[in-house]
Amino acid sequence: MTLLRLAIPVMTSRAGLLIMTTVDTVMTGWAGGTELAYLALGLAPFIFLMLVGTGLLTGTVVLVAQAHGAGEAVACGRIWHTALIDAALAGFASMALLWHAEWFLTHFGQSASMAAGGAEVAWMLALGMPAMLGYVATTLFLEGIGRPQVGVAVILIGNLLNVPLNWLLIYGGLGIPAMGAAGAALATSCVRWLMLLAIVGYALFAAKVRACGSTNGTLPDWHLQRRLLRLGIPFAVSQGLETSAFQSLTLLCGWLGATQLAAYQIAINVTGLVYMATVGLATATAIRVGHGIGSGDPNQAIAAAWLGVGVTLGAMLLLAPLVAGGAGWLAALYTSDADVKAVATRCLSLVALIIVADGLQGVLSGALRGAADVWVPMAIHVASFWLVLLPAAWLLGFPARMGLDGLLWGILLGLAVAATLLLWRLSGLRQRRPQRA
């Protein structure tokens, strides 16, 4: 029950982030298949940089959970302040890179018109990157001290605001011209800044959070910074490798045409939405493992790790047939284009298998992260995504002439290899006697 009390709010919070992208995808899809293809291309570099940034911040929840478990409440605030600095640096660096999105898309084989449309989306998303990463850092801090419900409230309000802003900017109105996919991206960036203001305000003014040092002014703590980076860099690399593999497939899919690309965007969005359940369970598992280690009870940490794995696998096995059985309905939710709908329906049948492997590797990563075991999982992700997933997807999709289906089978193969190797790593955790980071 403790796992679920932590997991459900975290799951809801993370799902809310992707629901925002899902709403963008659905509402953009109603504006036409070409606009949906622009959104897919613009999201490719943005999501890569966003997940690298969030990976860099992941050590926040581990260090906060361990400090909180050890009774060092005030230290939690220092960790948050340091994480906010990292979030700002990563956010503005990402903005600078996204200004060159058109060059990037053009050099990866997209047509001039597709690259221009995708780049405009990426530019609008870039405006919200610092806010997005600051929000994530603050959410991780609050989750680590056992207050995950705040992130849920903020993301729910954000989603409510996103819909009317989307409507106004995508389709036009009140003197504002229709902006299509770029309008969806701009609306989301505006909402992300409002979310950052709301959650930071709570962290600074709520009495129970102030007791954890949220308002204690502190100079940059370089020792703490090294600890955060020692945990964050391997996970950022893992996130980057996984995401870049998926986004590389987006670019490869662009070679197949706008219809295939739009269908792929739908399939990946559904995969990501289901994965938010894994993120919630994986984060809750990492927190419980961290608490066990921080309190000096490694047996409790190991038991928490295996409980998280079992619950996540069970949840994915329940969700998989729902996705397969509802493939046609899900595709119709995203688009009215008959061709895109037909391709997406076929893709979602494969997604039902992908979510099981993805959920298992995700929670295994979370369990190991809570034990501060990050370098070997990073190597596993390198091997699984770049030596298995991407080559297999290319071989099946193009030389084997399986097209979009081949790309998805490659994804399934890479995720299955990652899950198998991470399961082997977790099985040896007891012998390694996990310690505080």
Side-chain angles (χ1 to χ4, degrees):
M1 289 302 295
T2 303
L3 177 72
L4 292 179
R5 278 198 300 271
L6 278 170
I8 290 173
V10 175
M11 187 188 310
T12 305
S13 177
R14 301 299 189 277
L17 292 173
L18 191 60
I19 286 170
M20 198 171 290
T21 301
T22 301
V23 170
D24 291 349
T25 301
V26 171
M27 295 182 74
T28 301
W30 296 343
T34 300
E35 291 295 329
L36 186 55
Y38 290 159
L39 184 68
L41 287 176
L43 282 169
F46 172 82
I47 288 178
F48 168 73
L49 292 170
M50 183 188 74
L51 290 180
V52 169
T54 57
L56 193 67
L57 299 169
T58 303
T60 307
V61 74
V62 176
L63 292 185
V64 169
Q66 291 184 355
H68 202 252
E72 302 167 3
V74 176
C76 298
R78 291 199 303 272
I79 297 167
W80 175 50
H81 297 157
T82 306
L84 282 177
I85 295 171
D86 291 345
L89 292 173
F92 286 108
S94 297
M95 283 183 67
L97 291 172
L98 287 169
W99 297 134
H100 302 285
E102 187 168 0
W103 176 91
F104 169 80
L105 293 172
T106 300
H107 281 75
F108 274 84
Q110 306 305 312
S111 67
S113 61
M114 293 293 284
E120 188 178 5
V121 171
W123 298 335
M124 296 300 180
L125 290 169
L127 297 173
M129 183 70 88
M132 179 68 189
L133 296 182
Y135 168 84
V136 169
T138 308
T139 301
L140 292 172
F141 161 62
L142 293 171
E143 289 167 357
I145 62 172
R147 303 189 70 79
Q149 299 85 355
V150 183
V152 175
V154 173
I155 194 63
L156 288 177
I157 294 169
N159 273 285
L160 290 174
L161 292 173
N162 191 49
V163 173
L165 271 177
N166 262 353
W167 195 276
L168 181 63
L169 296 177
I170 293 173
Y171 311 117
L174 302 178
I176 298 173
M179 297 174 64
L186 179 58
T188 298
S189 288
C190 292
V191 169
R192 283 171 175 156
W193 280 105
L194 294 173
M195 287 166 51
L196 175 65
L197 291 174
I199 201 163
V200 168
Y202 175 85
L204 292 175
F205 292 105
K208 291 185 178 179
V209 183
R210 288 164 63 93
C212 292
S214 67
T215 57
N216 288 5
T218 180
L219 294 173
D221 186 331
W222 301 115
H223 173 68
L224 182 56
Q225 181 70 265
R226 285 195 297 272
R227 292 172 65 200
L228 277 170
L229 292 177
R230 189 166 64 245
L231 290 170
I233 287 175
F235 194 64
V237 172
S238 296
Q239 288 272 71
L241 290 168
E242 178 179 0
T243 308
S244 59
F246 277 91
Q247 301 311 323
S248 295
L249 294 184
T250 300
L251 299 175
L252 291 178
C253 194
W255 300 351
L256 299 172
T259 296
Q260 303 290 319
L261 180 57
Y264 178 77
Q265 172 64 16
I266 292 170
I268 290 301
N269 190 263
V270 171
T271 303
L273 188 58
V274 174
Y275 187 71
M276 291 305 101
T278 296
V279 170
L281 289 164
T283 303
T285 301
I287 291 169
R288 293 199 67 217
V289 170
H291 281 169
I293 293 171
S295 63
D297 188 352
N299 289 329
Q300 176 190 333
I302 291 166
W306 286 111
L307 176 63
V309 171
V311 171
T312 304
L313 182 58
M316 293 303 107
L317 289 173
L318 288 173
L319 287 171
L322 297 178
V323 172
W329 177 83
L330 286 169
L333 179 65
Y334 281 87
T335 182
S336 58
D337 186 306
D339 293 335
V340 174
K341 192 187 306 181
V343 177
T345 300
R346 189 179 71 246
C347 290
L348 289 170
S349 298
L350 288 174
V351 165
L353 298 175
I354 288 170
I355 62 174
V356 176
D358 202 17
L360 185 56
Q361 70 88 24
V363 73
L364 287 164
S365 295
L368 292 167
R369 187 166 65 253
D373 184 357
V374 291
W375 291 102
V376 172
M378 183 194 77
I380 287 172
H381 282 122
V382 172
S384 301
F385 297 129
W386 282 92
L387 301 181
V388 179
L389 185 153
L390 200 54
W394 179 80
L395 285 169
L396 293 172
F398 295 96
R401 300 182 182 277
M402 293 176 64
L404 182 51
D405 289 357
L407 300 184
L408 294 173
W409 278 110
I411 290 173
L412 177 61
L413 181 60
L415 291 172
V417 169
T420 301
L421 294 175
L422 290 167
L423 188 62
W424 161 78
R425 181 66 178 174
L426 184 61
S427 66
L429 184 61
R430 188 180 300 275
Q431 287 71 34
R432 294 194 299 277
R433 302 181 65 83
Q435 303 291 326
R436 280 188 68 176

